[in-house]
Structure formats: C-alpha cells, structure tokens
Amino acid sequence: MKTELSRLSKEEFNEEMKRRDQEMKESGRVNHTGLKRFGSAFFRRKAMAFLYAIFRAFILIGLSYIVLYPVFRMLSKAFSEDYVTSGISIWIPTNIGLNNLKLALQYLDYAKSFWASVKVALGSALLQVIASAVTGYGFARFKFKGRTLLFGIVLMTMIVPPQIYLISMFMTYRNFDFFKLLWLPSLIVGDKLSINLIGTSWTMWIPAILGVGLRGGLFIYIFRQFFRGMSKELEEAAYIDGCSPFGTFLRIMAPNSLSAALVVFLFSLVWHWNDYFVTSMMFVSKNKARPLSLVLLSKTATFGVAVFSDTSVNKTFVLNAAAMLTILPLIVIFAFTQKYFIESVDKVGVKG
Amino acid sequence: MTKENSQAVESEEELTEEQKAPRPTKEEKESLRATNKTIKKKKKAAAALSLRQAKTGYWFILPWMIGAFFLFLIPVLSSLVYSFCEVGAKAGGIRLNFVGFDNYAYIFTKDENFLPYLTGSLKDMLYQVPIIAFFSMFIAQMLNQKFFGRTVSRILFFLPVIIASGVTLEILKTTGMSTTVSLNQSSNIFTYQDNSVILEFLNESGLSNSVIEYLKNIVGSIFDITWKSGIQILLYLSALQGIPKSYYEVSSLEGATAWEEYWKITFPLLSPMTLVCVIYTIIDSFTYYQNKIMKMIDANGVSSGKAGIGSAVAWTYFLVIIIILVLIVKFIFSKTVYTDE
C-alpha cells in the first residue's frame, strides 16, 4: 500500500520513489513535468523544495517592493523640506520637518473634512452591514416567489455602474419626498413638498440602510453565500423552541456571522472613505464640509488656492502629505483589525 | 419544503437502521419511541415553517426591495429615458425634450472621441483581465502556503485595497514616479518605466509584433496589475481555504504529481472563483474613474446641459460590457465546477 511520503525515512522514500517510477513505466504514463529525473529521489525532493522557496521569496519580495515603493516615496516626500534641492535625495530627505503636514492640514481643512468622512464612511459601513446581513439572510434561507428574479436584480446592482444613474439619483435627493410618502400632504397643502438632501450625509446613509449603497450588491452576495454555508440545525432547534424567524436571525444567526460582518464592514468602510465619484455628485457645494478624499482632489478649494499660491513650497510634497493624512485613519484601523480580518477572510470562504 | 422533508426522511432512515440492530434493550426501545415523537414534532414544525417561509422571506428583503425599486430601477430606467431626450436644467428639476435616437447618432457619427475611447478602454480591459486573474491566482496560492513571513506578506497585499480604491493612488503615481525618473538618473534601475533590457530581449526573440506589444504592455503595467489585484487575491485566498485538504491527501496517496494535483484539483475547484474574479475585474475597470469613457460621462453632466449625450454614452458602454460578460459566462465558463450544487 502507498503511504504518506512525508512520514518516510530517507531510505524508505527512495524505495517508494523507485517503485513509483517502475509503476509509471509499466503503466505507460508520462511524467507530466517533462523534466528528466536526477539524483536520488530524496535529494531531488529537497532540492526542488529549496529552489521553490527561493523562487517564492524572489517573487514576493519583488512584489512587496512594488507595493511599498510608492508608500515609502509618499512618506519621504511628506516629511521632506528639501524645497530648493528637490528630488536629490530619494529615500531620506536632508531637511526633515512638519511644514508639509501643517500646510496639508490647512489645505484639507482637516478637522472638518475628517468629521465629514467619518460620518459618511463609518455611518454607511455600519448601516450596510445591517442591511446586507438581513437581505442576504432572506435570500439564503427563505423560498418565495420571484426569488431568482429578485436575486438577479441584486447581481444587476453589482454590475450597473453608478455613473449610469447618478443624474437621476441626484434629482431624487435634490427633491427628496420619502419615496412618494409626501404625496398626500402635498395634495393638502396644494404644493409639491420635498426636502433637499444634497450636501448631507443622508445621501449616503439612505441607500446604505436600504441595501443599495456603494457596492451593496457585493455585500448582499457575501452574506448570502455565508449564510448558505452555515448548518441549519441551530435554526431548526430555535424554531422548534418557538423562536420567530426574526428572533432566530437576531439571536442565533447574527452572533454567528461576525466574521462575515467584519469583512463587509472593512470593505465598506474603505470604499466609502476613498470614494470620490458618488460623493462628488452628492457634495457639490464647496462651502459645506466635504469628505477628505473629495477635498484632496479639488485643488481649487479655498484652502487649496492659498496653499498652492505659496511658491516657496513644493506642491507635490504638500499633496503627498495630504494623501498620507487621508489614508492614515484607514491604515490605523487596518493595523488594529488585520489579524481578525485575515482570519475572517479565511472563514467566510466566499464561493462563486 | 422539499429540503425539510428530505431531512426528516433521512432521519427516519437512520431510525430503521437502528431498528434492524440486533436485540434492542428496553431502554433503547424507549429512547427510540422518544426520538420518534420528536421527529413527528419536527415534521410538523417544518411544514408550518415552509408555509410561513414565503411571507417571512419577503419581510427580510423588504427594505432592499424598496431601495432597489426607488434608488436603482427607477433611476436606471429614467437614465435610459434621458438617453433619448435633450436634457436641460430648470429651477428645481430638469426639462426633457424627446429627440429619439439623435443622441446615439451624435456619439457614433459626430463625436470624434467616443469611438477611440471605447475601443481603447475595451482593449485595456481585455488584456488586463486574464493577466489579473492568473496573477492573483498565482499569488494567492503562494500566500496560502506555510512559510516564514506569511502573515506580513498577506498584510502587504491588502495595502493596495486600502490605497488603490481612492484618489491617493493617482497622486502617488503622478507625483511619486515621475520625479524619480526625471531628476535622479542613478535611481533609474528601480523604476518600472525602465524596461529596455527586457524590450531588447523581446525584439530579438523573433516573436510576432503583436505578441511583443502585448508583453510590453504587461511589463509596463506590472505596477498597475499588482495594485489592481488586491481584492482578487483575497477572493482566491478564501476560495483556496474552502478546498478540502482530504482531496490532496487522497491524490498524493494515489501518486499524483504536484502538476496533476494543480490541474485536476486546484484549478477546477477554483473555477467558480475565477468567474467571480473575472467579472469583478471587468466591472472594476469599467467603473474605474480614470477610464476615459467615465470621464466623458462626467463631463456630460446635468450642469453642461448635455446629460442626454452622457446617458447615451453610458448606455452604449454598458450594453457592450453586458455582451462581453454574457459571452464570458456562456462560453468560457460553461465548464465551471460547482461542488455544492
């Protein structure tokens, strides 16, 4: 009988390999790697493993360099004060200082924009986790008429880019009437009633809680796959004990889906924080507080003009400092959650 | 309904097997009766459940249905209407003027940017999608092995997800790369633009020009590809975790080589995730804000008074992408292996 190779000693391993080679010849099978076999089988195996380890290290170090290079460049520029001799030092600037950061804080109007970003990103991420968990559970566990069609619409929300319908979305929020709920009061007053939500975080929160926010389809999909993979026994036990479907979801399924929730929460947070496309439409007014990534892009904002008209500083340095300040909160959050996050990604096991 | 029933049936079969067991003692008989009772109870509960299921399911997805109707279907359809209209702004709203297919005729015959932009962005997409899929599958497999520094490398490969989805990457790319090349010649060996050695090698290799062009593009965009593969690597990693270890144990017992294992186990079992990754990559490049078509749609917004043309551009592009997606799903991935269905 064949045995597990790793448990064999050197001699046994060589024996086993010889036997297999013989078997291969007899059965007429081809060695698929096309490589000629060399040396003793034991040596061969060790050598291949070693070569592969070197190859892997080479690839991973090379790619890490690609990933880290711009980040290091950003850091070195953000702290550099080599305005006159710009670019001569690549990694460590000769004059290190916080001047760029000071200007960048001013340029971004940091306190105000940071708070706007927190409201948009954190609020939407929490709402999206709740909404997509509930919707995903509905699609995963219940059979109702039109389920396939409705899930097709979920997939469509993933595929259709927001660019296509942003204009009409803008109009919806510009004259927001709570989905025609203001129809009756409007009749009584005799005038069309509506609220202008443009420039407020509601433009992000309303779609988030209804499960159609930024990449909402993907999140519903992740939760649906996750719930489908969970065993039904716990739920059945709860039903038999007289627990309602909503009670079962709240008390049994929700606490068991924390890993999926973490993945969705972090993705949603990152995407909302970095989004500038949808927010640029919803936060048009430059006088109100706007999210960080949006301010970073608009070099013409009030503070931008003041900062960039100062010729004694290097604009790219300030921009790099501003970029660093924008992603810093995300890096901090990821640093704290990465252990759980990577475990969760393993657990969620998103399947196609 | 059927699933609950089948489960009940399964447990009944277990019961009959138990009954066949030789000489049950008194206690065993009693416990058998007890389990019989709970099974009947379970059946009842299951039947009640399946009746209730339909209604409850709608309650769970009700908020999403409201959102999908008002914030997805209606806006999407009205944008389709805009594409057949001349859209003008008026106080507190927009004014529509039906013009038929004029907007479409304009972008195809009169607008000189649309067609080159369309073919350009499709070309970019088509050559990047297979590379990103293979690259991320390859990297995910490396990161899935046990080696020194595995955790650190996994964290590193998540960095692009944080940075690349935003404006930050653009700033890093434009300000970070250019100055090194132009101002510091000594650092040239480290920049990605400098691939002359590889190019020389390619030119002398006797490959056809189109192949060389393709490879040149790949080398030139290693940076882009690494930075765009963050999510795909994560998706593949989680899919790799889902492949049962027993498959590999069995195959190594049967004497399969690593090569056979890869093509007979790993690759087919990853195929559903490959489909997801390919679709994700296509959509990602489709909605990427640096995409020229997307910039064109932005430029033709309500404020420019050309929203009708913007919508027509968006819908044409969308239809092209949908056709590509359908072709990919129908033909390339018709052999996708699903383990759970």
Side-chain angles (χ1 to χ4, degrees):
Chain A
M1 275 308 288
K2 284 165 185 174
T3 34
E4 213 174 312
L5 294 178
S6 51
R7 293 207 190 120
L8 299 176
S9 73
K10 188 179 162 183
E11 287 75 24
E12 281 171 332
F13 185 86
N14 283 333
E15 275 305 298
E16 174 73 18
M17 275 302 165
K18 262 184 204 161
R19 207 178 55 70
R20 284 191 187 181
D21 280 355
Q22 194 59 38
E23 218 171 64
M24 261 196 177
K25 264 181 207 159
E26 280 166 10
S27 62
R29 278 172 61 194
V30 194
N31 175 10
H32 285 268
T33 47
L35 296 170
K36 257 194 182 170
R37 300 208 151 176
F38 58 92
S40 83
F42 187 76
F43 169 76
R44 204 159 60 214
R45 190 172 62 132
K46 285 278 168 205
M48 286 304 275
F50 181 69
L51 280 178
Y52 181 70
I54 288 181
F55 171 70
R56 181 175 58 205
F58 177 75
I59 296 270
L60 288 181
I61 290 172
L63 291 174
S64 309
Y65 175 76
I66 289 182
V67 171
L68 286 178
Y69 173 81
V71 178
F72 281 141
R73 292 287 306 157
M74 174 178 77
L75 287 179
S76 95
K77 280 190 178 172
F79 291 103
S80 160
E81 280 184 14
D82 299 344
Y83 297 129
V84 189
T85 53
S86 142
I88 284 189
S89 59
I90 323 164
W91 296 109
I92 298 160
T94 4
N95 303 306
I96 298 175
L98 296 177
N99 192 28
N100 298 325
L101 284 180
K102 264 186 226 155
L103 285 172
L105 282 175
Q106 202 188 15
Y107 158 54
L108 290 172
D109 198 1
Y110 200 71
K112 231 169 115 188
S113 317
F114 179 78
W115 181 234
S117 268
V118 167
K119 273 202 296 187
V120 165
L122 203 62
S124 310
L126 286 173
L127 293 174
Q128 265 195 322
V129 169
I130 298 167
S132 43
V134 172
T135 316
Y137 184 67
F139 277 113
R141 278 292 196 263
F142 299 97
K143 292 188 184 91
F144 42 84
K145 249 189 180 172
R147 183 170 78 159
T148 325
L149 178 78
L150 287 169
F151 197 69
I153 298 179
V154 172
L155 297 182
M156 283 302 279
T157 60
M158 256 159 97
I159 296 171
V160 179
Q163 280 90 340
I164 280 196
Y165 54 88
L166 216 55
I167 297 167
S168 20
M169 285 285 262
F170 180 81
M171 298 318 293
T172 312
Y173 294 119
R174 174 72 184 70
N175 309 309
F176 193 70
D177 54 3
F178 294 94
F179 309 121
K180 313 289 174 209
L181 280 182
L182 288 185
W183 173 73
L184 202 64
S186 297
L187 272 188
I188 297 164
V189 181
D191 201 19
K192 236 187 153 187
L193 285 178
S194 64
I195 304 174
N196 183 1
L197 289 181
I198 294 299
T200 65
S201 308
W202 288 104
T203 51
M204 307 304 282
W205 291 343
I206 291 171
I209 190 61
L210 294 177
V212 286
L214 220 56
R215 309 207 192 192
L218 180 66
F219 299 140
I220 294 176
Y221 186 82
I222 289 177
F223 265 114
R224 172 182 173 261
Q225 295 302 98
F226 182 78
F227 283 131
R228 276 175 70 176
M230 272 169 86
S231 84
K232 284 184 177 166
E233 277 152 22
L234 276 173
E235 280 163 287
E236 270 160 11
Y239 283 137
I240 285 161
D241 289 345
C243 201
S244 72
F246 289 97
T248 313
F249 174 71
L250 267 183
R251 285 188 209 146
I252 292 169
M253 298 309 268
N256 280 316
S257 62
L258 286 182
S259 50
L262 181 68
V263 170
V264 168
F265 174 76
L266 273 183
F267 274 156
S268 173
L269 186 77
V270 166
W271 280 328
H272 274 97
W273 190 276
N274 283 334
D275 174 76
Y276 98 95
F277 189 81
V278 179
T279 44
S280 70
M281 198 75 172
M282 298 307 169
F283 294 81
V284 224
S285 161
K286 291 188 172 72
N287 305 321
K288 282 187 184 170
R290 307 163 90 199
L292 275 173
S293 54
L294 197 53
V295 182
L296 178 62
L297 198 80
S298 54
K299 289 168 204 163
T300 49
T302 350
F303 292 97
V305 173
V307 170
F308 289 111
S309 57
D310 185 354
T311 45
S312 67
V313 294
N314 187 325
K315 289 174 191 91
T316 57
F317 288 3
V318 180
L319 264 183
N320 272 289
M324 192 189 85
L325 287 172
T326 307
I327 52 166
L328 191 67
L330 289 182
I331 304 246
V332 170
I333 290 176
F334 182 63
F336 279 112
T337 51
Q338 52 85 13
K339 196 181 150 210
Y340 308 100
F341 178 76
I342 285 169
E343 271 173 19
S344 300
V345 167
D346 288 351
K347 267 189 219 153
V348 172
V350 195
K351 284 194 204 117
Chain B
M1 171 105 191
T2 46
K3 268 204 177 157
E4 264 74 27
N5 274 353
S6 69
Q7 271 180 0
V9 169
E10 265 173 36
S11 39
E12 263 183 358
E13 276 172 7
E14 279 170 27
L15 211 73
T16 50
E17 272 176 29
E18 271 176 46
Q19 278 169 338
K20 276 176 201 162
R23 275 180 263 154
T25 61
K26 244 186 186 176
E27 292 89 51
E28 273 176 350
K29 267 185 185 169
E30 258 166 37
S31 73
L32 222 76
R33 239 168 260 150
T35 41
N36 243 334
K37 264 185 190 169
T38 52
I39 282 170
K40 270 180 192 163
K41 246 190 193 171
K42 263 191 185 176
K43 262 186 169 176
K44 255 190 187 171
L49 197 67
S50 62
L51 279 175
R52 267 200 331 221
Q53 266 200 344
K55 270 188 204 163
T56 325
Y58 286 125
W59 280 111
F60 270 99
I61 63 162
L62 181 68
W64 173 81
M65 284 203 288
I66 295 174
F69 184 73
F70 285 103
L71 299 176
F72 180 71
L73 288 179
I74 288 188
V76 166
L77 289 179
S78 54
S79 128
L80 184 62
V81 172
Y82 292 169
S83 72
F84 293 107
C85 294
E86 197 193 314
V87 184
K90 74 174 187 203
I94 43 175
R95 187 171 35 78
L96 297 177
N97 232 347
F98 187 74
V99 291
F101 279 94
D102 282 10
N103 289 327
Y104 289 94
Y106 173 82
I107 58 169
F108 275 107
T109 55
K110 284 185 190 143
D111 194 299
E112 52 201 21
N113 289 330
F114 177 68
L115 284 177
Y117 283 0
L118 183 68
T119 47
S121 69
L122 286 182
K123 237 165 89 185
D124 280 359
M125 181 198 295
L126 287 181
Y127 93 78
Q128 281 197 351
V129 165
I131 301 170
I132 289 181
F134 272 108
F135 175 79
S136 43
M137 191 192 282
F138 178 65
I139 297 295
Q141 263 174 338
M142 277 191 170
L143 294 178
N144 199 36
Q145 291 154 353
K146 287 207 167 76
F147 59 92
F148 176 74
R150 178 168 98 135
T151 321
V152 177
S153 9
R154 279 180 163 207
I155 296 170
L156 272 181
F157 279 93
F158 191 72
L159 265 185
V161 180
I162 295 182
I163 300 174
S165 60
V167 196
T168 325
L169 177 66
E170 228 34 56
I171 286 179
L172 295 190
K173 257 166 87 178
T174 49
T175 67
M177 302 284 141
S178 52
T179 43
T180 18
V181 182
S182 56
L183 292 172
N184 200 308
Q185 296 300 324
S186 64
S187 73
N188 250 359
I189 35 164
F190 290 115
T191 55
Y192 316 111
Q193 282 90 342
D194 187 75
N195 43 34
S196 51
V197 182
I198 303 168
L199 286 187
E200 239 167 65
F201 173 74
L202 281 178
N203 284 330
E204 286 166 10
S205 63
L207 291 166
S208 79
N209 273 337
S210 58
V211 176
I212 291 179
E213 196 58 34
Y214 185 77
L215 291 176
K216 237 169 38 181
N217 274 334
I218 297 177
V219 174
S221 52
I222 283 179
F223 178 86
D224 263 4
I225 285 164
T226 314
W227 279 77
K228 278 180 185 170
S229 306
I231 297 272
Q232 287 87 332
I233 291 174
L234 279 179
L235 289 174
Y236 272 125
L237 259 180
S238 78
L240 282 171
Q241 298 283 330
I243 299 179
K245 297 255 175 342
S246 53
Y247 290 11
Y248 295 106
E249 278 163 19
V250 170
S251 74
S252 85
L253 283 181
E254 295 289 334
T257 58
W259 181 255
E260 287 172 317
E261 265 178 13
Y262 180 77
W263 288 106
K264 301 238 159 97
I265 301 176
T266 316
F267 192 76
L269 286 180
L270 283 182
S271 62
M273 191 46 85
T274 307
L275 179 65
V276 172
C277 278
V278 165
I279 292 177
Y280 181 88
T281 314
I282 290 178
I283 295 169
D284 206 38
S285 81
F286 175 25
T287 55
Y288 187 46
Y289 60 96
Q290 282 294 309
N291 188 322
K292 278 178 179 161
I293 297 275
M294 287 300 133
K295 282 187 168 170
M296 208 174 152
I297 297 171
D298 280 354
N300 292 312
V302 178
S303 47
S304 70
K306 287 193 278 184
I309 290 168
S311 299
V313 170
W315 271 91
T316 316
Y317 192 38
F318 179 54
L319 284 182
V320 173
I321 302 290
I322 285 287
I323 292 169
I324 293 177
L325 284 179
V326 168
L327 288 180
I328 285 175
V329 173
K330 279 258 163 187
F331 294 104
I332 302 182
F333 286 95
S334 54
K335 284 182 185 164
T336 304
V337 180
Y338 291 101
T339 43
D340 57 339
E341 271 159 48

